[in-house]
Amino acid sequence: MENIYIIGDVHGCYTTLLALVDKLPKNSKICFVGDLIDRGKNSKEVIEFVRSNNYDCVLGNHEYFMIESFQAIETKKANDIYLKWINKGGGLETLNNYKRTSEIKNDVDFLKTLPYYIEYKDYKTSDGRYLVVSHSNVGKVWELRNSYHKSEIDFFQNHLIWSRHKYCDVKEIFNVYGHTILDEPLIDEYNANIDLGCYKTEIENPRLCALEFPSMKIYTQENIER
């Protein structure tokens, strides 16, 4: 079985992303942990790169922001989530990438297709755990993934894009995710957080990270945005 490469939160850092992908083996199978957009200056290009290469990607909270803000963009009537996206989520940097509302709609339609998690049952660790990629960790809510109850479905989905520091050992899976910025990747026997704060140029060592699975080899690329 070939390796798969999971890439952390890109946040619009397109040049940095291209440099990281160049470090990976050619024609690698790649999956993104979400948060392709916002804060960086080239979110539109990042979305197009992922879409045109048919790479796998899960939904992040910033994609959720953009999807839920589209009605406000289209009607030019700001609502609460739009204001939160613009004022706290880095949405303005994303909107500055677009010239027409139709372009935004095209990308929003793509973002709506992203799943909350992806199971890769053919990719396993040496102790038999199969790979699950999500934006935030699946934590103790993993058992709710097949629920038919709306309240439990909502709770599960909310956890997968917003939760922080609530990881736990789910015996059959190895969970790779981002969302919470760390100085170095966190890798243990059952999960890995690979968000190294690529967009945060004010921190000491902002990097974009890729995890080679199942070898657990780490590739990083420093922020080279201009």
Side-chain angles (χ1 to χ4, degrees), residues 107-181:
D107 282 355
V108 165
D109 287 344
F110 167 71
L111 298 180
K112 286 179 177 180
T113 69
L114 301 182
Y116 283 86
Y117 66 94
I118 301 176
E119 297 177 273
Y120 294 98
K121 293 190 174 181
D122 291 334
Y123 291 87
K124 295 182 179 180
T125 60
S126 59
D127 61 350
R129 295 171 182 265
Y130 72 86
L131 174 64
V132 174
V133 178
S134 52
H135 179 59
S136 183
N137 65 84
V138 300
K140 294 181 178 180
V141 304
W142 183 241
E143 62 186 18
L144 300 178
R145 66 193 183 280
N146 295 320
S147 175
Y148 293 101
H149 300 288
K150 186 180 184 306
S151 61
E152 292 182 344
I153 294 169
D154 290 346
F155 183 71
F156 174 76
Q157 294 176 345
N158 185 69
H159 184 102
L160 262 60
I161 62 173
W162 293 107
S163 178
R164 299 187 191 273
H165 308 300
K166 293 183 179 179
Y167 46 85
C168 69
D169 187 356
V170 180
K171 297 299 182 184
E172 73 271 20
I173 70 171
F174 189 93
N175 186 201
V176 180
Y177 55 91
H179 185 55
T180 300
I181 295 172

Side-chain angles (χ1 to χ4, degrees), residues 15-47:
T15 305
T16 304
L17 171 60
L18 295 184
L20 177 63
V21 171
D22 279 346
K23 294 181 178 181
L24 307 180
K26 291 189 181 300
N27 302 315
S28 295
K29 183 174 180 60
I30 292 175
C31 180
F32 291 81
V33 304
D35 280 9
L36 301 175
I37 66 171
D38 296 346
R39 306 198 189 282
K41 295 181 180 179
N42 298 106
S43 293
K44 185 175 184 293
E45 289 82 356
V46 173
I47 293 173

Side-chain angles (χ1 to χ4, degrees), residues 34-62:
D35 280 9
L36 301 175
I37 66 171
D38 296 346
R39 306 198 189 282
K41 295 181 180 179
N42 298 106
S43 293
K44 185 175 184 293
E45 289 82 356
V46 173
I47 293 173
E48 180 55 30
F49 178 76
V50 173
R51 178 171 49 203
S52 63
N53 286 285
N54 200 30
Y55 289 135
D56 290 344
C57 183
V58 298
L59 184 77
N61 59 301
H62 284 265

Side-chain angles (χ1 to χ4, degrees), residues 64-77 79 81-82 85 95 100-109 112:
Y64 174 84
F65 268 142
M66 187 172 180
I67 292 167
E68 294 299 313
S69 295
F70 182 70
Q71 183 178 7
I73 296 168
E74 195 171 34
T75 62
K76 296 181 171 57
K77 294 181 180 179
N79 54 29
I81 195 165
Y82 172 83
W85 183 47
L95 289 182
R100 293 178 292 275
T101 302
S102 60
E103 295 178 338
I104 302 173
K105 184 180 186 305
N106 183 51
D107 282 355
V108 165
D109 287 344
K112 286 179 177 180

